[in-house]
Amino acid sequence: MQTTEDTHRDTTARQRDTLERLAQERDIWVSTAHPDHGPHQVPLWFRWDGRAVWMCTSATSATARNLREEPRVRLALPDTADVVLLRGEAECFADQEVPEQAAEAFTEKFGWDPRKEEGSFLYIRVAPKTVLAWRDEGELRGRVIMREGAWLA
């Protein structure tokens, strides 16, 4: 999503726009770190359930390995002209232990059910604790729109 608007949104507008993007977008950048292996960043498909981001990756991936050691994670929507950054802690669910509703909603959005694939997959749930949103330098002030898990608008 690219914008050329030269308007400065208030917190309410930023929250509304962020929630719309979380509901509509497909990809999110996931940044993790491992104490021995360092940082790792990868794009994953995601689904927003209204409170948390749900993603899925191979149970043997670097992302899965990192999150088992260090659950703190940063997520970013891919548009640098309309920045949305989320920070939180990941909850991990083996593909056969994920809540049915979450797995079905993920499958419905993407037409892919990792539970039916060969090999193990890990579902990742991140309820954001902090959300930042801005479109240009003029919006840097006030970019925090969620703090300690509570929307500021």
Side-chain angles (χ1 to χ4, degrees):
M1 169 189 234
Q2 290 245 337
T3 181
T4 58
E5 294 177 32
D6 191 25
T7 61
H8 301 294
R9 301 168 297 161
D10 63 14
T11 303
T12 301
R14 291 179 202 217
Q15 178 183 334
R16 180 198 64 233
D17 294 346
T18 296
L19 289 169
E20 285 177 10
R21 289 190 62 205
L22 287 169
Q24 294 171 3
E25 299 227 12
R26 182 188 70 159
D27 303 313
I28 198 162
W29 284 96
V30 182
S31 299
T32 62
H34 187 278
D36 298 327
H37 305 286
H40 179 72
Q41 188 174 41
V42 64
L44 292 177
W45 286 348
F46 80 97
R47 182 181 180 283
W48 174 251
D49 71 3
R51 293 184 308 268
V53 170
W54 284 88
M55 301 159 286
C56 192
T57 189
S58 167
T60 60
S61 70
T63 300
R65 179 190 67 219
N66 289 355
L67 290 174
R68 285 186 192 102
E69 291 292 321
E70 172 55 75
R72 291 180 297 175
V73 62
R74 178 171 273 192
L75 309 173
L77 293 180
D79 188 349
T80 60
D82 192 3
V83 177
V84 174
L85 299 175
L86 302 93
R87 284 182 277 200
E89 288 197 19
E91 289 180 82
C92 297
F93 301 88
D95 53 11
Q96 300 307 314
E97 298 171 1
V98 65
E100 183 72 19
Q101 184 177 10
E104 289 299 324
F106 190 89
T107 298
E108 183 179 319
K109 181 171 182 179
F110 298 108
W112 174 60
D113 190 342
R115 298 169 299 170
K116 295 180 180 176
E117 295 289 333
E118 194 170 310
S120 300
F121 283 82
L122 187 72
Y123 284 82
I124 304 159
R125 179 184 185 273
V126 177
K129 297 294 181 195
T130 306
V131 177
L132 294 85
W134 72 92
R135 287 189 176 153
D136 57 32
E137 186 177 334
E139 284 195 358
L140 286 175
R141 173 170 276 147
R143 66 186 171 261
V144 177
I145 62 172
M146 176 188 276
R147 185 177 285 124
E148 299 298 323
W151 294 103
L152 302 181

